[in-house]
Amino acid sequence: VQLQASGGGSVQAGGSLRISCTASGRHFSNYLTGWFRQAPGKEREFVAAINSKRATVYVDSVKGRFTVSRDNAENTVYLQMNSLKPEDTAVYYCAASWDDGKSAYFGGAYHNLDYWGQGTQVTVSS
C-alpha cells in the first residue's frame, strides 16, 4: 500500500486543520493507520491511530482536541485537529499496517508500522 498525506498548512493558535492520508491499493479498510509527527530537533512521536474496527487511540497531549477517522470508500484516514497550539507544529506522517492484531502497541503508542507516507507540514503560530 502507498500512502499520501495532504492538507497541512499554517494556522494561528486556537485554529483548526484537517489532514488526510489517502492510500492506493486494495483492502485499506483492513489496515491499522496511525498519525505521527516530528518537530524540528525532536524525535518522531505517535499522535493517534484508528484500526479496522474504527477503534481509536491518542497520545495524551492531543486527547480532546484531535479526532482520527476513516472513510473506507475513499481509502482515506483523516486527522481533524482543533484548538491547535504552537507546540503542535511539526511534519505529520501517516503510517499503516495490516490489522492482524500484532502491531506493536506499548507505552500508549503504536510502533514500527510497515508503510509510511511522506509528511505534511503543520505550522501553528502564536
Side-chain angles (χ1 to χ4, degrees), residues 19 34-48 59 61-62 66 79 81 86-94 116-124:
I19 56 178
W35 286 99
F36 297 75
R37 65 187 180 187
Q38 187 166 20
K42 295 188 177 181
E43 293 188 354
R44 186 173 63 198
E45 67 169 346
F46 170 78
V47 176
V59 69
S61 61
V62 307
F66 290 12
L79 186 67
M81 303 181 290
E87 52 263 44
D88 295 317
T89 295
V91 178
Y92 284 71
Y93 299 89
C94 60
W116 288 80
Q118 93 297 349
T120 187
Q121 176 72 47
V122 172
T123 303
V124 185

Side-chain angles (χ1 to χ4, degrees), residues 47-114:
V47 176
I50 185 167
N51 70 9
S52 61
K53 295 180 174 59
R54 301 179 185 270
T56 58
V57 293
Y58 300 90
V59 69
D60 285 346
S61 61
V62 307
K63 284 180 180 176
R65 300 189 298 121
F66 290 12
T67 302
V68 59
S69 63
R70 67 189 309 151
D71 183 340
N72 290 332
E74 297 293 329
N75 267 14
T76 299
V77 168
Y78 301 100
L79 186 67
Q80 176 68 44
M81 303 181 290
N82 298 329
S83 301
L84 282 161
K85 304 175 180 180
E87 52 263 44
D88 295 317
T89 295
V91 178
Y92 284 71
Y93 299 89
C94 60
S97 287
W98 185 262
D99 192 5
D100 56 3
K102 297 179 181 178
S103 295
Y105 181 77
F106 54 88
Y110 278 99
H111 303 267
N112 302 324
L113 299 186
D114 293 322

